[in-house]
Amino acid sequence: MEKRFTMLKNKEIIVGVTGGIAAYKTVELVRGLSRRGANVHVVMTKNAMEFVTPLTFQTVSGNTVIHEMFELFTGSKIGHITLSDIADLLVIAPATANIIGKVANGIADDFLTTMVMATTVPVFFVPSMNTKMWGSPMVQANTQKLKDAGYKMMEPASGDLACGTEGKGRLPTIEEIMENIEDIFAVKDLAGERILITAGPTTEYIDPVRCITNKSSGKMGYAIAKIARRRGAEVMLITGPTALQLPRTDIPMIQVTTACDMRDAVMEHYKRATVIIKTAAVADFKCRNEACQKIKKKGDSNYLMLELEKNPDIIGELGKVKEDRILVGFAAETDNILEHAVEKLKKKNLDLIIANNVAKAGIGFGADDNEVTIIEKSGVSKEVPKMSKDEIAQTILDAVIKVIKKRKK
Ligand code: CTP
């Protein structure tokens, strides 16, 4: 299994599995946590074993699964050290109405509930159950009791449920659960900052069915938005057309199509921001006369002339009005990368520019990885080797924090 190290690297995470149909999805959660470098220990209740076998969890976690009250003391490879002593976090997924009710009322009658009662590490409940059960006054009261006592709790998702009904009660997606787990561990060093991020390409129409665009997938900008939010910033994302899901539900997103739409959205919202990161690959030109109807092939000519007109340079405009806001640009280049990037940084009055070689295979446009050079206004530059866009986003935000700290001195 390829491991992608994140802030979960070497974290000891206990995953408690209780008896709900969503228990099969927890297998993917354990796999995902392990892939991100965590050492996962699974504890199952008796009812959970009706849905998934301990062997499955043992195989994906690489650790013995605990499912008996006294098993830990009879030959488990972690011996007499209690799990909750070595753990950094205890996640309960799926959390049924039963376990929520037991913990809320101080009942400890199996290994998992005993451990919850005994632990001092954060406990994170991911509820999943039938919509009516979730909505019942008892479950709601118990959930509130747990929140008031300092337990972390995720809201179930809405949609089709295994019992044939529809509504709130589904286990949130594995990505969302993992994002919440990363959140628990994240240092909130961007708290108090308001970051406006643009992402993706813009699309300029030639006629109702044809357009000019570029190969930007939006992945880099979405990764910055997700990590900035995780690190405590208030984030707004203005995005061109992409195939990506909103990275977090607590990030307001404005969807735009053209460069002019993006410019209007940015100009409407930039004043509230303390930091603006312009990741978007804005189309430099639009059609001068966009046709209202589909352009038909006419006559024998092999050519069609399109007259293009320059789009607004959004970051250039921001550079003139930014005052003390931190402005970060990207330079997508294919040659003389650093030279072009430094030129853009100066010309557009930026505080940082992130240069990347969009002609190199495996990085940049559309790829999951990137390799960039971060250049400061002072000329200091830092080469960031090939890594995931999440990791690149961390490094870019570290550079932003460096600028913030310098300003405060
Ligand atoms: N940018 C922008 N508005 C535009 C074009 C670019 O805000 N109309 C921003 C991008 O979001 C990026 C930075 O400017 O942060 C540099 O974009 P890039 O396309 O590399 O540079 P251009 O200024 O368009 O110059 P050129 O295409 O000639 O390299």
Side-chain angles (χ1 to χ4, degrees), residues 198 278-284 311-316 328-333 344 348:
T198 67
K278 287 240 49 252
T279 323
V282 184
D284 289 322
N311 261 327
D313 179 356
I314 308 168
I315 207 165
V328 183
F330 272 69
E333 308 291 348
K344 280 177 195 172
K348 301 188 183 202

mmCIF file of all heavy atoms in Angstrom, residues 198 278-284 311-316 328-333 344 348, ligand 1:
data_model
loop_
_atom_site.group_PDB
_atom_site.id
_atom_site.type_symbol
_atom_site.label_atom_id
_atom_site.label_comp_id
_atom_site.label_asym_id
_atom_site.label_seq_id
_atom_site.Cartn_x
_atom_site.Cartn_y
_atom_site.Cartn_z
ATOM 1 N N THR A 198 -8.668 31.876 -5.570
ATOM 2 C CA THR A 198 -9.310 31.576 -6.856
ATOM 3 C C THR A 198 -8.684 30.290 -7.395
ATOM 4 O O THR A 198 -7.509 30.016 -7.145
ATOM 5 C CB THR A 198 -9.127 32.704 -7.892
ATOM 6 O OG1 THR A 198 -7.754 32.786 -8.241
ATOM 7 C CG2 THR A 198 -9.624 34.039 -7.376
ATOM 8 N N LYS A 278 -4.146 33.786 -5.802
ATOM 9 C CA LYS A 278 -4.748 33.662 -7.137
ATOM 10 C C LYS A 278 -4.163 32.458 -7.869
ATOM 11 O O LYS A 278 -3.252 32.555 -8.675
ATOM 12 C CB LYS A 278 -4.523 34.957 -7.926
ATOM 13 C CG LYS A 278 -5.390 36.096 -7.431
ATOM 14 C CD LYS A 278 -6.351 36.700 -8.451
ATOM 15 C CE LYS A 278 -7.215 35.823 -9.247
ATOM 16 N NZ LYS A 278 -7.079 35.552 -10.571
ATOM 17 N N THR A 279 -4.742 31.298 -7.560
ATOM 18 C CA THR A 279 -4.279 30.058 -8.184
ATOM 19 C C THR A 279 -4.886 29.875 -9.571
ATOM 20 O O THR A 279 -4.352 29.128 -10.392
ATOM 21 C CB THR A 279 -4.698 28.855 -7.295
ATOM 22 O OG1 THR A 279 -4.579 29.240 -5.939
ATOM 23 C CG2 THR A 279 -3.839 27.651 -7.549
ATOM 24 N N ALA A 280 -5.998 30.546 -9.838
ATOM 25 C CA ALA A 280 -6.736 30.312 -11.097
ATOM 26 C C ALA A 280 -5.875 30.569 -12.326
ATOM 27 O O ALA A 280 -5.061 31.486 -12.352
ATOM 28 C CB ALA A 280 -7.967 31.213 -11.136
ATOM 29 N N ALA A 281 -6.082 29.707 -13.325
ATOM 30 C CA ALA A 281 -5.448 29.911 -14.625
ATOM 31 C C ALA A 281 -6.467 30.674 -15.477
ATOM 32 O O ALA A 281 -7.340 30.074 -16.102
ATOM 33 C CB ALA A 281 -5.095 28.569 -15.244
ATOM 34 N N VAL A 282 -6.369 31.977 -15.412
ATOM 35 C CA VAL A 282 -7.363 32.835 -16.081
ATOM 36 C C VAL A 282 -7.052 32.881 -17.585
ATOM 37 O O VAL A 282 -5.894 33.075 -17.966
ATOM 38 C CB VAL A 282 -7.302 34.269 -15.497
ATOM 39 C CG1 VAL A 282 -8.377 35.152 -16.099
ATOM 40 C CG2 VAL A 282 -7.414 34.240 -13.972
ATOM 41 N N ALA A 283 -8.084 32.704 -18.395
ATOM 42 C CA ALA A 283 -7.863 32.803 -19.845
ATOM 43 C C ALA A 283 -7.505 34.253 -20.161
ATOM 44 O O ALA A 283 -8.199 35.174 -19.731
ATOM 45 C CB ALA A 283 -9.121 32.389 -20.587
ATOM 46 N N ASP A 284 -6.415 34.439 -20.873
ATOM 47 C CA ASP A 284 -5.957 35.808 -21.139
ATOM 48 C C ASP A 284 -6.821 36.523 -22.167
ATOM 49 O O ASP A 284 -6.854 37.742 -22.210
ATOM 50 C CB ASP A 284 -4.497 35.780 -21.621
ATOM 51 C CG ASP A 284 -3.551 35.405 -20.487
ATOM 52 O OD1 ASP A 284 -3.814 35.852 -19.350
ATOM 53 O OD2 ASP A 284 -2.591 34.652 -20.717
ATOM 54 N N ASN A 311 -8.596 39.818 -21.761
ATOM 55 C CA ASN A 311 -9.427 39.770 -20.563
ATOM 56 C C ASN A 311 -8.831 40.689 -19.507
ATOM 57 O O ASN A 311 -7.647 41.013 -19.578
ATOM 58 C CB ASN A 311 -9.455 38.333 -20.016
ATOM 59 C CG ASN A 311 -10.702 37.601 -20.438
ATOM 60 O OD1 ASN A 311 -11.769 38.197 -20.572
ATOM 61 N ND2 ASN A 311 -10.576 36.309 -20.660
ATOM 62 N N PRO A 312 -9.614 41.063 -18.494
ATOM 63 C CA PRO A 312 -9.013 41.865 -17.428
ATOM 64 C C PRO A 312 -7.928 41.067 -16.711
ATOM 65 O O PRO A 312 -8.073 39.857 -16.507
ATOM 66 C CB PRO A 312 -10.188 42.150 -16.481
ATOM 67 C CG PRO A 312 -11.258 41.188 -16.861
ATOM 68 C CD PRO A 312 -11.034 40.798 -18.285
ATOM 69 N N ASP A 313 -6.851 41.725 -16.342
ATOM 70 C CA ASP A 313 -5.796 41.094 -15.547
ATOM 71 C C ASP A 313 -6.203 41.277 -14.075
ATOM 72 O O ASP A 313 -5.981 42.337 -13.492
ATOM 73 C CB ASP A 313 -4.444 41.755 -15.838
ATOM 74 C CG ASP A 313 -3.323 41.137 -15.017
ATOM 75 O OD1 ASP A 313 -3.602 40.263 -14.174
ATOM 76 O OD2 ASP A 313 -2.156 41.538 -15.219
ATOM 77 N N ILE A 314 -6.831 40.250 -13.520
ATOM 78 C CA ILE A 314 -7.439 40.383 -12.187
ATOM 79 C C ILE A 314 -6.375 40.670 -11.129
ATOM 80 O O ILE A 314 -6.514 41.588 -10.315
ATOM 81 C CB ILE A 314 -8.233 39.109 -11.815
ATOM 82 C CG1 ILE A 314 -9.209 38.757 -12.948
ATOM 83 C CG2 ILE A 314 -8.977 39.296 -10.499
ATOM 84 C CD1 ILE A 314 -9.842 37.389 -12.830
ATOM 85 N N ILE A 315 -5.305 39.910 -11.164
ATOM 86 C CA ILE A 315 -4.279 40.087 -10.125
ATOM 87 C C ILE A 315 -3.566 41.435 -10.298
ATOM 88 O O ILE A 315 -3.189 42.078 -9.309
ATOM 89 C CB ILE A 315 -3.293 38.889 -10.105
ATOM 90 C CG1 ILE A 315 -2.698 38.730 -8.710
ATOM 91 C CG2 ILE A 315 -2.207 39.014 -11.143
ATOM 92 C CD1 ILE A 315 -2.007 37.410 -8.467
ATOM 93 N N GLY A 316 -3.434 41.846 -11.548
ATOM 94 C CA GLY A 316 -2.815 43.155 -11.811
ATOM 95 C C GLY A 316 -3.659 44.263 -11.182
ATOM 96 O O GLY A 316 -3.135 45.200 -10.565
ATOM 97 N N VAL A 328 -0.812 36.766 -3.382
ATOM 98 C CA VAL A 328 0.011 35.642 -3.853
ATOM 99 C C VAL A 328 -0.444 35.243 -5.252
ATOM 100 O O VAL A 328 -1.630 34.993 -5.481
ATOM 101 C CB VAL A 328 -0.132 34.421 -2.899
ATOM 102 C CG1 VAL A 328 0.778 33.284 -3.327
ATOM 103 C CG2 VAL A 328 0.133 34.816 -1.447
ATOM 104 N N GLY A 329 0.503 35.183 -6.177
ATOM 105 C CA GLY A 329 0.164 34.787 -7.545
ATOM 106 C C GLY A 329 0.857 33.492 -7.920
ATOM 107 O O GLY A 329 1.761 33.021 -7.224
ATOM 108 N N PHE A 330 0.418 32.926 -9.016
ATOM 109 C CA PHE A 330 1.057 31.738 -9.575
ATOM 110 C C PHE A 330 1.620 32.115 -10.942
ATOM 111 O O PHE A 330 1.053 32.966 -11.633
ATOM 112 C CB PHE A 330 0.029 30.598 -9.745
ATOM 113 C CG PHE A 330 -0.091 29.751 -8.515
ATOM 114 C CD1 PHE A 330 -0.648 30.261 -7.361
ATOM 115 C CD2 PHE A 330 0.368 28.435 -8.508
ATOM 116 C CE1 PHE A 330 -0.750 29.495 -6.210
ATOM 117 C CE2 PHE A 330 0.276 27.646 -7.363
ATOM 118 C CZ PHE A 330 -0.276 28.180 -6.223
ATOM 119 N N ALA A 331 2.692 31.485 -11.310
ATOM 120 C CA ALA A 331 3.223 31.707 -12.654
ATOM 121 C C ALA A 331 3.344 30.350 -13.319
ATOM 122 O O ALA A 331 4.192 29.533 -12.942
ATOM 123 C CB ALA A 331 4.575 32.399 -12.569
ATOM 124 N N ALA A 332 2.442 30.106 -14.250
ATOM 125 C CA ALA A 332 2.479 28.851 -14.995
ATOM 126 C C ALA A 332 3.365 29.093 -16.204
ATOM 127 O O ALA A 332 3.012 29.872 -17.088
ATOM 128 C CB ALA A 332 1.066 28.479 -15.425
ATOM 129 N N GLU A 333 4.526 28.449 -16.222
ATOM 130 C CA GLU A 333 5.488 28.742 -17.282
ATOM 131 C C GLU A 333 5.952 27.460 -17.972
ATOM 132 O O GLU A 333 5.846 26.363 -17.406
ATOM 133 C CB GLU A 333 6.717 29.464 -16.699
ATOM 134 C CG GLU A 333 6.414 30.689 -15.855
ATOM 135 C CD GLU A 333 5.870 31.869 -16.663
ATOM 136 O OE1 GLU A 333 5.934 31.825 -17.902
ATOM 137 O OE2 GLU A 333 5.360 32.825 -16.054
ATOM 138 N N LYS A 344 6.762 38.828 -13.162
ATOM 139 C CA LYS A 344 5.331 38.953 -12.824
ATOM 140 C C LYS A 344 5.149 39.461 -11.399
ATOM 141 O O LYS A 344 4.273 40.279 -11.128
ATOM 142 C CB LYS A 344 4.622 37.592 -12.968
ATOM 143 C CG LYS A 344 4.283 37.272 -14.412
ATOM 144 C CD LYS A 344 3.658 35.899 -14.570
ATOM 145 C CE LYS A 344 3.690 35.509 -16.041
ATOM 146 N NZ LYS A 344 3.287 34.131 -16.279
ATOM 147 N N LYS A 348 3.198 42.950 -11.024
ATOM 148 C CA LYS A 348 1.831 42.896 -10.490
ATOM 149 C C LYS A 348 1.769 43.232 -8.996
ATOM 150 O O LYS A 348 0.738 43.044 -8.372
ATOM 151 C CB LYS A 348 1.227 41.511 -10.774
ATOM 152 C CG LYS A 348 1.203 41.207 -12.280
ATOM 153 C CD LYS A 348 0.442 39.950 -12.603
ATOM 154 C CE LYS A 348 0.509 39.636 -14.085
ATOM 155 N NZ LYS A 348 -0.561 38.791 -14.558
HETATM 156 N N1 CTP B 1 -4.013 36.236 -13.670
HETATM 157 C C1 CTP B 1 -5.116 37.044 -13.447
HETATM 158 N N2 CTP B 1 -5.810 37.546 -14.510
HETATM 159 C C2 CTP B 1 -5.451 37.254 -15.782
HETATM 160 C C3 CTP B 1 -4.342 36.426 -16.018
HETATM 161 C C4 CTP B 1 -3.643 35.928 -14.938
HETATM 162 O O1 CTP B 1 -5.432 37.306 -12.288
HETATM 163 N N3 CTP B 1 -6.156 37.736 -16.781
HETATM 164 C C5 CTP B 1 -3.236 35.751 -12.512
HETATM 165 C C6 CTP B 1 -3.213 34.243 -12.335
HETATM 166 O O2 CTP B 1 -4.260 33.829 -11.469
HETATM 167 C C7 CTP B 1 -1.841 34.024 -11.720
HETATM 168 C C8 CTP B 1 -0.994 35.132 -12.270
HETATM 169 O O3 CTP B 1 -1.906 36.124 -12.751
HETATM 170 O O4 CTP B 1 -1.864 34.129 -10.321
HETATM 171 C C9 CTP B 1 -0.090 34.763 -13.402
HETATM 172 O O5 CTP B 1 -0.823 34.105 -14.399
HETATM 173 P P1 CTP B 1 -0.124 33.645 -15.748
HETATM 174 O O6 CTP B 1 -1.160 33.112 -16.672
HETATM 175 O O7 CTP B 1 1.065 32.784 -15.434
HETATM 176 O O8 CTP B 1 0.457 35.023 -16.253
HETATM 177 P P2 CTP B 1 -0.070 36.155 -17.173
HETATM 178 O O9 CTP B 1 -0.050 37.401 -16.362
HETATM 179 O O10 CTP B 1 -1.367 35.818 -17.802
HETATM 180 O O11 CTP B 1 1.095 36.268 -18.247
HETATM 181 P P3 CTP B 1 1.424 35.311 -19.499
HETATM 182 O O12 CTP B 1 0.172 34.539 -19.822
HETATM 183 O O13 CTP B 1 1.811 36.269 -20.547
HETATM 184 O O14 CTP B 1 2.561 34.430 -19.057
#
